[in-house]
């Protein structure tokens, strides 16, 4: 099981076990605290700081050659909103649809 604790506007959850537990204890629901308290910690708490969403403007480049940027290479959402994997998967599905549609056309995939 993976447990995440998220803060905003400078309110950063602690990364030591006691501090992590204290945050869970302060929640309205008792369950996360019980799970963390009684569970076996398999690895240290990992800390990710994502200060902003990021969009890369590849359209301003002359060419990406034969590469197509999708997923986080194109756009990084704030993990609080839990959208990154869906966006990456939808990008992949879109690229596949376009590739299938155009692979047999006159210009192949060059467009
Ligand atoms: C803390 C955190 C929590 C998150 N929680 C959620 C969530 O709850 N729900 C959600 O939908 N999304 C969440 N996300 C976002 C999600 O993880 C990403 O949006 C998603 O993984 C993007 O997929 P991707 O394939 O574009 O990139 P990645 O998953 O980053 O895959 C890129 C891969 O390329 C490899 N790589 C990099 N450089 C090279 C190289 N030069 N050569 C070869 N390989 C290379 C990397 O090792 C990696 O395996 C979270 C992100 C973070 C940081």
């Amino acid at each position: 099981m993976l447990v995440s604790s998220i803060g905003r506007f400078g309110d950063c959850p602690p990364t030591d076990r006691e501090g992590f537990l204290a945050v869970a204890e302060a929640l309205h629901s008792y369950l996360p605290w019980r799970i963390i308290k009684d569970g076996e910690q398999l690895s240290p708490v990992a800390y990710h700081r994502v200060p902003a969403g990021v969009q890369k403007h590849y359209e301003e480049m002359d060419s990406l050659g034969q590469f197509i940027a999708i997923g986080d290479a194109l756009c990084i959402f704030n993990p609080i909103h839990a959208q990154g994997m869906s966006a990456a998967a939808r990008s992949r599905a879109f690229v596949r649809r376009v590739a299938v549609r155009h692979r047999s056309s006159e210009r192949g995939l060059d467009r």
Side-chain angles (χ1 to χ4, degrees):
M1 179 180 287
L2 176 71
V3 184
S4 299
S5 179
I6 296 172
R8 305 175 70 184
F9 306 122
D11 177 22
C12 302
T15 55
D16 62 292
R17 185 177 170 82
E18 291 69 34
F20 202 80
L21 255 176
V23 169
E25 195 172 10
L27 297 174
H28 291 294
S29 168
Y30 176 69
L31 190 61
W33 174 75
R34 267 302 291 276
I35 291 171
I36 301 169
K37 188 174 85 60
D38 296 340
E40 179 189 353
Q41 185 173 340
L42 298 178
S43 64
V45 176
Y47 179 74
H48 300 270
R49 185 166 185 272
V50 184
V54 176
Q55 184 177 3
K56 309 262 178 73
H57 289 277
Y58 295 106
E59 75 278 8
E60 291 177 6
M61 292 173 65
D62 290 337
S63 167
L64 263 179
Q66 295 203 315
F67 290 97
I68 298 174
I70 61 170
D72 277 13
L74 180 64
C75 181
I76 303 173
F77 295 96
N78 187 325
I80 282 181
H81 305 299
Q83 295 171 312
M85 286 187 283
S86 309
R90 289 183 66 102
S91 302
R92 178 239 171 235
F94 176 76
V95 169
R96 184 175 190 280
R97 268 203 313 279
V98 172
V100 166
R101 194 182 316 139
H102 291 284
R103 70 180 163 197
S104 55
S105 71
E106 201 174 290
R107 294 188 59 183
L109 297 178
D110 284 348
R111 288 190 57 151

